[in-house]
Amino acid sequence: MLAILHPDVDEDSLEYRQTWEYLEQLPGVELSVNTIQGKTRKLTEIYLLGNTAAVDLDQVAALPAVERAIRISEGYRVLGRHTEGERETGFVYNGVEFSQETFNVLPGLCAVDNPANVETMMKALQENGHTLTRMGAYKPRTNPYSFQGHGKECLPYVFELAGQYGIKVISMEVTHESHIEEIDTALEKLGRPTGVLLQVGTRNSQNFELLKAIGRQKTYPALVKRGFGITLSDSLNAAEYLASEGNSNVIFCLRGMRSDLGAPHRMMVDFGHVPTVKRLTRMPVCVDPSHSVGTRHGAPDGILDIAHVSAQGVVAGANLVLVDFHPNPEEALVDGAQALRIEELPQYLADIELAWQTYQQRLKIWNPA
Ligand code: PEP
Ligand code: MN
């Protein structure tokens, strides 16, 4: 069961204390609190876990701090939409709003290689009015002898340059719990010039201890990639792991499925699931066209496959696009074959902006006033 409190209710208020005291004494029921910082207000939800069959829904709904009470039977307890459908989606981090209604693009380096390329990338973003990016410092590689990323050594210059070029959020994969601490220490040392979105890679989508560790902290939101060889439901449960530990600021990212049937693309593009994830959960949905297509091949119409599938995801309502760029793809240490060129950034951004506008038009067609 879920008790949604009145917006902005104060934890020190009498209503809150009376509500808490009542819920706390329910036999066999454990409580878990989840707060969501929206753009204009703070929402608090109290989850009643355990044996809630005997709990009276109307009595919970009548408690002084409670606005609504909902019985939850389905999965994805925190992140799911459930039957009521009207709860807010998303969160605000470092001044940027992420929700099922907003649209953000995160173009950047798959892997940080050197300060010059980081600077070139960030400068291009600033020139194009963009404040979000991706930069990999810890790279999970299939081959143990492949470049594993510069790790914590590169964090100081990445964060410092981000501050210089007005970058607000960097999506950065972490492959071990200790990386969260390394990122936090580096940011703190520099006076937090930028923000980090902790990325969980497809290969770690069932690394439950990593998921729990990211969920235990609330400083950084997370972007969880779909596992490339597991069901959608298993991947949504991966995201729910974070929420179950207290961090519900989670973005879900589709990035293609491992299947020979996707060839000649690297993966089978799965962006048809964009609306499905929105129906099942309240998470903002991201698409990663780079890791799903995996090549710079294009159609005879002059448009790269990566741009085509980006548009497909965005036209279907994707809220974010995570995409690889590189100043010199031939020299990239990771995934150069799929990196778009910096010179292609303006046209790529114009193209997906058009796709987002098209989605807005589609909303009007299907939801007449
Ligand atoms: C990445 O985004 O750099 C990455 C490794 O992606 P994935 O986990 O989807 O393979
Ligand atoms: Mn990559």
Side-chain angles (χ1 to χ4, degrees):
M1 188 181 290
L2 165 61
I4 301 174
L5 307 193
H6 295 295
D8 294 320
V9 75
D10 186 0
E11 283 177 27
D12 297 321
S13 66
L14 182 63
E15 305 108 278
Y16 188 93
R17 268 185 286 130
Q18 285 173 339
T19 301
W20 188 264
E21 276 161 23
Y22 174 88
L23 296 174
E24 203 178 31
Q25 52 77 42
L26 293 170
V29 173
E30 284 204 34
L31 304 180
S32 152
V33 181
N34 179 40
T35 53
I36 306 150
Q37 184 58 59
K39 201 156 84 176
T40 52
R41 51 188 203 167
K42 189 177 98 176
L43 282 181
T44 306
E45 302 178 336
I46 302 180
Y47 287 81
L48 284 65
L49 311 176
N51 186 12
T52 57
V55 178
D56 186 328
L57 186 74
D58 294 334
Q59 258 177 21
V60 173
L63 293 169
V66 176
E67 184 177 87
R68 275 185 301 151
I70 301 165
R71 223 176 252 293
I72 301 173
S73 48
E74 309 99 298
Y76 328 129
R77 202 177 278 180
V78 179
L79 296 174
R81 257 190 191 276
H82 312 303
T83 44
E84 90 296 348
E86 307 226 313
R87 280 155 71 209
E88 278 193 30
T89 70
F91 56 91
V92 176
Y93 172 63
N94 220 19
V96 184
E97 190 182 354
F98 300 93
S99 80
Q100 287 192 348
E101 278 78 49
T102 56
F103 184 56
N104 292 296
V105 193
L106 299 95
L109 303 178
C110 174
V112 170
D113 39 19
N114 59 57
N117 285 337
V118 170
E119 181 158 17
T120 304
M121 186 70 233
M122 290 180 176
K123 193 160 174 279
L125 291 171
Q126 190 182 52
E127 283 165 6
N128 285 279
H130 271 259
T131 57
L132 310 185
T133 189
R134 57 157 295 144
M135 295 268 157
Y138 309 95
K139 299 305 298 179
R141 305 304 302 281
T142 303
N143 184 333
Y145 304 109
S146 303
F147 171 63
Q148 306 282 312
H150 287 309
K152 70 173 177 187
E153 310 308 326
C154 70
L155 300 180
Y157 69 77
V158 171
F159 295 158
E160 212 170 309
L161 286 165
Q164 270 174 41
Y165 288 97
I167 302 293
K168 290 186 182 158
V169 180
I170 304 174
S171 183
M172 183 175 276
E173 178 164 358
V174 289
T175 57
H176 190 270
E177 182 175 354
S178 60
H179 301 158
I180 309 171
E181 186 70 33
E182 290 177 5
I183 288 170
D184 193 59
T185 305
L187 279 173
E188 186 63 32
K189 247 192 190 150
L190 294 165
R192 302 200 177 269
T194 188
V196 168
L197 177 63
L198 299 174
Q199 188 175 317
V200 177
T202 194
R203 293 163 185 79
N204 273 316
S205 60
Q206 290 194 309
N207 181 342
F208 301 114
E209 296 311 317
L210 178 66
L211 296 170
K212 284 194 253 179
I214 297 175
R216 279 195 295 272
Q217 59 78 43
K218 286 194 179 178
T219 311
Y220 305 102
L223 178 142
V224 175
K225 293 238 187 153
R226 178 183 194 169
F228 59 30
I230 58 177
T231 62
L232 181 63
S233 155
D234 287 352
S235 291
L236 296 177
N237 268 313
E240 182 73 16
Y241 255 93
L242 273 67
S244 75
E245 293 285 331
N247 187 352
S248 55
N249 291 350
V250 187
I251 294 163
F252 188 76
C253 183
L254 296 167
R255 47 82 67 217
M257 303 302 295
R258 173 83 97 196
S259 165
D260 290 346
L261 301 179
H265 288 165
R266 189 176 174 188
M267 303 277 158
M268 188 73 156
V269 178
D270 56 350
F271 300 169
H273 274 158
V274 167
T276 316
V277 177
K278 286 182 155 183
R279 169 169 61 81
L280 295 172
T281 79
R282 297 180 297 136
M283 287 185 278
V285 182
C286 179
V287 290
D288 177 342
S290 304
H291 289 81
S292 42
V293 170
T295 76
R296 280 185 49 87
H297 289 121
D301 60 12
I303 302 176
L304 298 178
D305 288 12
I306 288 178
H308 269 300
V309 304
S310 304
Q312 287 160 16
V314 175
V315 151
N319 305 107
L320 302 100
V321 181
L322 186 72
V323 54
D324 290 5
F325 274 79
H326 198 280
N328 194 353
E330 293 73 24
E331 282 176 11
L333 296 176
V334 185
D335 287 345
Q338 69 196 26
L340 301 183
R341 300 178 177 282
I342 300 266
E343 309 84 78
E344 292 166 331
L345 184 62
Q347 64 206 93
Y348 181 81
L349 292 172
D351 188 14
I352 50 175
E353 176 57 29
L354 179 66
W356 178 249
Q357 293 308 328
T358 304
Y359 173 63
Q360 300 303 313
Q361 295 296 322
R362 294 183 60 222
L363 288 178
K364 288 188 193 134
I365 293 172
W366 285 90
N367 300 282

mmCIF file of all heavy atoms in Angstrom, residues 236-251:
data_model
loop_
_atom_site.group_PDB
_atom_site.id
_atom_site.type_symbol
_atom_site.label_atom_id
_atom_site.label_comp_id
_atom_site.label_asym_id
_atom_site.label_seq_id
_atom_site.Cartn_x
_atom_site.Cartn_y
_atom_site.Cartn_z
ATOM 1 N N LEU A 236 13.282 -3.526 -15.954
ATOM 2 C CA LEU A 236 12.548 -2.523 -15.160
ATOM 3 C C LEU A 236 12.718 -2.834 -13.672
ATOM 4 O O LEU A 236 12.795 -1.925 -12.841
ATOM 5 C CB LEU A 236 11.067 -2.499 -15.551
ATOM 6 C CG LEU A 236 10.785 -2.053 -17.000
ATOM 7 C CD1 LEU A 236 9.291 -2.134 -17.316
ATOM 8 C CD2 LEU A 236 11.297 -0.637 -17.253
ATOM 9 N N ASN A 237 12.816 -4.115 -13.348
ATOM 10 C CA ASN A 237 13.081 -4.483 -11.958
ATOM 11 C C ASN A 237 14.470 -4.034 -11.514
ATOM 12 O O ASN A 237 14.683 -3.723 -10.341
ATOM 13 C CB ASN A 237 12.927 -5.996 -11.755
ATOM 14 C CG ASN A 237 11.511 -6.345 -11.333
ATOM 15 O OD1 ASN A 237 10.939 -5.718 -10.438
ATOM 16 N ND2 ASN A 237 10.923 -7.332 -11.985
ATOM 17 N N ALA A 238 15.413 -4.002 -12.454
ATOM 18 C CA ALA A 238 16.756 -3.499 -12.131
ATOM 19 C C ALA A 238 16.642 -2.048 -11.661
ATOM 20 O O ALA A 238 17.235 -1.643 -10.656
ATOM 21 C CB ALA A 238 17.664 -3.598 -13.350
ATOM 22 N N ALA A 239 15.860 -1.257 -12.403
ATOM 23 C CA ALA A 239 15.664 0.147 -12.028
ATOM 24 C C ALA A 239 14.957 0.231 -10.671
ATOM 25 O O ALA A 239 15.297 1.067 -9.822
ATOM 26 C CB ALA A 239 14.849 0.857 -13.101
ATOM 27 N N GLU A 240 14.006 -0.659 -10.459
ATOM 28 C CA GLU A 240 13.254 -0.654 -9.203
ATOM 29 C C GLU A 240 14.169 -0.958 -8.013
ATOM 30 O O GLU A 240 13.914 -0.514 -6.891
ATOM 31 C CB GLU A 240 12.096 -1.657 -9.286
ATOM 32 C CG GLU A 240 11.199 -1.735 -8.062
ATOM 33 C CD GLU A 240 10.259 -0.530 -7.872
ATOM 34 O OE1 GLU A 240 10.065 0.249 -8.821
ATOM 35 O OE2 GLU A 240 9.736 -0.380 -6.738
ATOM 36 N N TYR A 241 15.258 -1.698 -8.258
ATOM 37 C CA TYR A 241 16.225 -1.962 -7.181
ATOM 38 C C TYR A 241 16.730 -0.661 -6.572
ATOM 39 O O TYR A 241 16.881 -0.532 -5.366
ATOM 40 C CB TYR A 241 17.423 -2.760 -7.718
ATOM 41 C CG TYR A 241 17.392 -4.208 -7.293
ATOM 42 C CD1 TYR A 241 16.814 -5.178 -8.097
ATOM 43 C CD2 TYR A 241 17.934 -4.591 -6.063
ATOM 44 C CE1 TYR A 241 16.776 -6.502 -7.699
ATOM 45 C CE2 TYR A 241 17.893 -5.911 -5.660
ATOM 46 C CZ TYR A 241 17.316 -6.869 -6.481
ATOM 47 O OH TYR A 241 17.271 -8.169 -6.085
ATOM 48 N N LEU A 242 16.992 0.327 -7.426
ATOM 49 C CA LEU A 242 17.488 1.616 -6.928
ATOM 50 C C LEU A 242 16.413 2.280 -6.072
ATOM 51 O O LEU A 242 16.678 2.764 -4.976
ATOM 52 C CB LEU A 242 17.841 2.540 -8.093
ATOM 53 C CG LEU A 242 19.247 2.428 -8.666
ATOM 54 C CD1 LEU A 242 19.481 1.119 -9.352
ATOM 55 C CD2 LEU A 242 19.497 3.572 -9.640
ATOM 56 N N ALA A 243 15.195 2.269 -6.616
ATOM 57 C CA ALA A 243 14.099 2.922 -5.908
ATOM 58 C C ALA A 243 13.823 2.218 -4.579
ATOM 59 O O ALA A 243 13.517 2.860 -3.578
ATOM 60 C CB ALA A 243 12.851 2.922 -6.781
ATOM 61 N N SER A 244 13.960 0.908 -4.565
ATOM 62 C CA SER A 244 13.654 0.158 -3.339
ATOM 63 C C SER A 244 14.635 0.516 -2.224
ATOM 64 O O SER A 244 14.343 0.358 -1.050
ATOM 65 C CB SER A 244 13.683 -1.354 -3.594
ATOM 66 O OG SER A 244 15.014 -1.800 -3.699
ATOM 67 N N GLU A 245 15.809 1.027 -2.624
ATOM 68 C CA GLU A 245 16.801 1.428 -1.619
ATOM 69 C C GLU A 245 16.679 2.913 -1.286
ATOM 70 O O GLU A 245 17.456 3.436 -0.499
ATOM 71 C CB GLU A 245 18.213 1.134 -2.123
ATOM 72 C CG GLU A 245 18.521 -0.344 -2.271
ATOM 73 C CD GLU A 245 18.752 -1.052 -0.932
ATOM 74 O OE1 GLU A 245 19.217 -0.398 0.022
ATOM 75 O OE2 GLU A 245 18.456 -2.264 -0.857
ATOM 76 N N GLY A 246 15.769 3.619 -1.940
ATOM 77 C CA GLY A 246 15.532 5.013 -1.568
ATOM 78 C C GLY A 246 15.798 6.042 -2.648
ATOM 79 O O GLY A 246 15.477 7.209 -2.487
ATOM 80 N N ASN A 247 16.409 5.646 -3.762
ATOM 81 C CA ASN A 247 16.670 6.630 -4.817
ATOM 82 C C ASN A 247 15.752 6.366 -6.013
ATOM 83 O O ASN A 247 15.972 5.445 -6.792
ATOM 84 C CB ASN A 247 18.144 6.550 -5.243
ATOM 85 C CG ASN A 247 18.524 7.653 -6.218
ATOM 86 O OD1 ASN A 247 17.660 8.392 -6.692
ATOM 87 N ND2 ASN A 247 19.801 7.776 -6.517
ATOM 88 N N SER A 248 14.727 7.192 -6.136
ATOM 89 C CA SER A 248 13.792 6.981 -7.244
ATOM 90 C C SER A 248 14.031 7.968 -8.387
ATOM 91 O O SER A 248 13.220 8.078 -9.299
ATOM 92 C CB SER A 248 12.347 7.070 -6.744
ATOM 93 O OG SER A 248 12.153 8.293 -6.094
ATOM 94 N N ASN A 249 15.151 8.684 -8.347
ATOM 95 C CA ASN A 249 15.498 9.574 -9.452
ATOM 96 C C ASN A 249 16.216 8.757 -10.524
ATOM 97 O O ASN A 249 17.436 8.794 -10.661
ATOM 98 C CB ASN A 249 16.379 10.722 -8.972
ATOM 99 C CG ASN A 249 15.611 11.681 -8.075
ATOM 100 O OD1 ASN A 249 14.392 11.579 -7.970
ATOM 101 N ND2 ASN A 249 16.303 12.587 -7.446
ATOM 102 N N VAL A 250 15.409 7.997 -11.256
ATOM 103 C CA VAL A 250 15.972 7.023 -12.191
ATOM 104 C C VAL A 250 15.413 7.247 -13.597
ATOM 105 O O VAL A 250 14.210 7.416 -13.777
ATOM 106 C CB VAL A 250 15.649 5.578 -11.751
ATOM 107 C CG1 VAL A 250 16.377 4.573 -12.640
ATOM 108 C CG2 VAL A 250 16.013 5.344 -10.291
ATOM 109 N N ILE A 251 16.305 7.227 -14.562
ATOM 110 C CA ILE A 251 15.949 7.291 -15.988
ATOM 111 C C ILE A 251 16.182 5.901 -16.562
ATOM 112 O O ILE A 251 17.174 5.248 -16.225
ATOM 113 C CB ILE A 251 16.858 8.315 -16.702
ATOM 114 C CG1 ILE A 251 16.569 9.738 -16.189
ATOM 115 C CG2 ILE A 251 16.691 8.245 -18.224
ATOM 116 C CD1 ILE A 251 17.649 10.748 -16.517
#
